[in-house]
Amino acid sequence: NDLTQITLLVMWLIELYLSIIGDIDAKITSIGATAASSATQISAMDNTEAASSSSSGARSSSEGVPSATAAYKQERAEMQKELYALVEERKSAVDPDTAYQLAESHGRRDFWLFYASLRGDYERIVEYWMEKEEHIRAIEVLGHYGTPDMFYKYSPALMGAEPVALVDILMRQPNLTPNKLIPAFMRYGHDAFSGVNQSIRYLRFCIQKQLCRDPVVYNYYLTLLVKDSTSNDESELMSFLTTYGKDMLYDPDYALRMCKRYGRIQSCVHLYSLLKLYEDAVELAIKQGDIELAQIHAERPDDDKLCKRLWLKIAQHMIQSKEPASEVMELVRRSHRLGVEDILPFFPDFTRVDDFKDDICVALEDYEMQIQDLRGEMDEATRTAEAMQRDMSSLKNRFAILSTEETCQACSQPLWMRQFY
C-alpha cells in the first residue's frame, strides 16, 4: 500500500521490460545481418561450379531465418503489450520524468509517445516531433489535440516548414485569435514561384468566412495584398479596398502610405477618393496618363462646382498633351458639365476653329435660345408690373356707402358709435 514502494517497483518493471524489448530487437537485427551475410555467400558460391555441394548446405541454414525472426517479433509484441498494460493499470504510480528518461535511454520512441499520449501531454509530443523535424506529424497532433496557445507557440516554425498543411489545420480551428498568428505569418517567406500565399489564404478565410472584424488583421491583410499584387494587376487589392472601405475596417491613411510605397497607382487613386481628396485622385490619375480613371473620380464629389473644376482639369491636360480637338470635345460632351466656352481659353491662339466649329454653333444656338427665354420672362414680368400698378391706382379711388343703422359684422355693435378705421 506504500505509494513510494509501488512506484519503485513499477519503474523497475518498466526498466526490465524495456531492456528485454531492446535485447529482442538486437537479436532480430543480428539475425537479419546473418541472413544478409549468408545470402552474399550463396550468391558468390553460385558463381563457381566447383562449390555447388557447399552452397546447398548454406541454403539449408538460411531457410530457418524467417521463422526465427517471426518468433522474436511475436515475443516483442507480447512484451510491449504487457508493458503498456502495466503502465495503463499503474498510471498513477509512474513517475513521468523517470519514465521519459528510461524511454530515451533505451531509444524506445514508441513507448515514449505511448506514455505521453496516455498522460495527455500533447505539447511534449509536438515538441518531440519538432525536434525530429517531422513537421507533418507535429501538425497532425496539433490538429487533433492542440490548444490555441500551442498553435500560437509552434506556428512560426511550422509556417516556414509546412505552410500549406498548417493553414489547412488552422482553418479548422474556430477558437483561434487571428491577430496572435500574425508573428507566424511574418516569418513566412513567400515568393512568386511558391504558388498561393498561405498567409493571404488564411486571413481571407478569417475575414470572409469567420467575419473577423479586428482592424489589426485587416491592416496586415492589406499589407500582404499590396506586396503580393503588381502594378498591372491590382484586382484583389482593389476588391478589398472597395468592399471594406465603407465601414473603415482598415486604416485608409496606412493603406495609402503602403500603396504609395509599392507603386499601386489605381489603389492610391481610390484611397484619395475615399478620403475625399478628389483633386489629388484626379491629378494622380492624370499624371499616370489614365484619363478614364480620372474621369471616374471626377464624378465622385457631391459638389457640382468641384466636379466641373475636375473635368476642366482633365480637359486642360488633354489640350496641353496636344490631344486631337475631336477627343477633347468628346470629353466635353461626356462630362455634361462643360461647355465649349469653358475650354476655348486653353487652346493655343493658332488652333483652327474648324475642328470644333459645329460645337461652337450648337453653343451659340443654345445661348440664343436662352436669351429668347430670358427676354420672354422679362416681357412677362413687365406686363405683370403694369397690371399691379393699375390695380393699385384703382384702389385709391375705391369707396363704400354705409347707413346709420349699419352694425359691425364682428361684434354686432353700431358702426357709428366709435371710429372703425
Side-chain angles (χ1 to χ4, degrees), residues 158-297:
L158 293 173
M159 195 68 190
E162 295 291 342
V164 177
L166 177 62
V167 169
D168 288 340
I169 294 298
L170 291 177
M171 292 170 65
R172 300 175 193 156
Q173 309 299 317
N175 298 323
L176 298 179
T177 303
N179 64 12
K180 293 184 178 181
L181 291 168
I182 289 179
F185 298 142
M186 294 178 69
R187 296 185 60 180
Y188 168 55
H190 174 263
D191 53 51
F193 303 100
S194 55
V196 178
N197 188 318
Q198 297 302 316
S199 299
I200 292 179
R201 178 185 166 214
Y202 177 71
L203 294 177
R204 184 192 302 121
F205 170 79
C206 293
I207 292 172
Q208 296 180 357
K209 302 298 183 182
Q210 295 184 338
L211 303 180
C212 174
R213 289 296 180 266
D214 188 344
V216 175
V217 174
Y218 278 77
N219 286 332
Y220 187 68
Y221 180 58
L222 167 70
T223 303
L224 295 178
L225 289 179
V226 171
K227 294 180 179 179
D228 198 61
S229 61
T230 62
S231 300
N232 298 325
D233 184 11
E234 300 179 34
S235 55
E236 186 172 2
L237 175 59
M238 279 297 300
S239 176
F240 172 77
L241 294 175
T242 304
T243 303
Y244 300 102
K246 296 178 181 179
D247 298 331
M248 289 296 179
L249 294 174
Y250 58 85
D251 184 353
D253 294 320
Y254 170 76
L256 183 58
R257 290 196 300 271
M258 291 298 298
C259 291
K260 281 184 176 180
R261 178 179 176 183
Y262 288 90
R264 307 298 180 246
I265 302 302
Q266 187 178 0
S267 301
C268 285
V269 173
H270 173 79
L271 289 167
Y272 274 130
S273 288
L274 186 65
L275 295 170
K276 300 188 182 301
L277 302 174
Y278 301 110
E279 294 194 40
D280 293 329
V282 172
E283 287 178 359
L284 180 58
I286 290 175
K287 183 179 179 181
Q288 297 299 318
D290 196 337
I291 302 301
E292 292 185 2
L293 184 61
Q295 294 176 27
I296 293 172
H297 291 276

Side-chain angles (χ1 to χ4, degrees), residues 54-95:
S54 300
S55 65
S56 61
R59 286 193 185 92
S60 62
S61 63
S62 64
E63 290 176 355
V65 170
S67 58
T69 302
Y72 282 128
K73 287 183 177 180
Q74 183 178 0
E75 183 181 359
R76 182 182 62 183
E78 292 175 355
M79 291 293 103
Q80 283 184 335
K81 185 177 180 181
E82 292 179 9
L83 172 61
Y84 292 170
L86 170 67
V87 173
E88 288 183 2
E89 182 180 356
R90 297 293 182 176
K91 176 182 175 182
S92 60
V94 177
D95 180 66

Side-chain angles (χ1 to χ4, degrees), residues 41-56 59:
Q41 293 177 3
I42 292 171
S43 176
M45 287 185 291
D46 284 344
N47 292 332
T48 59
E49 296 178 354
S52 58
S53 60
S54 300
S55 65
S56 61
R59 286 193 185 92

Side-chain angles (χ1 to χ4, degrees), residues 16 18 76 78 96 122 135 155 167 172 196 205 211 222-223 260 293 300 305 313 332 341 388 391 407:
L16 288 178
L18 292 176
R76 182 182 62 183
E78 292 175 355
Y122 299 110
H135 302 103
S155 288
V167 169
R172 300 175 193 156
V196 178
F205 170 79
L211 303 180
L222 167 70
T223 303
K260 281 184 176 180
L293 184 61
R300 294 286 176 85
K305 292 183 179 179
K313 186 174 293 188
V332 171
E341 71 280 2
M388 291 177 64
D391 293 341
T407 60

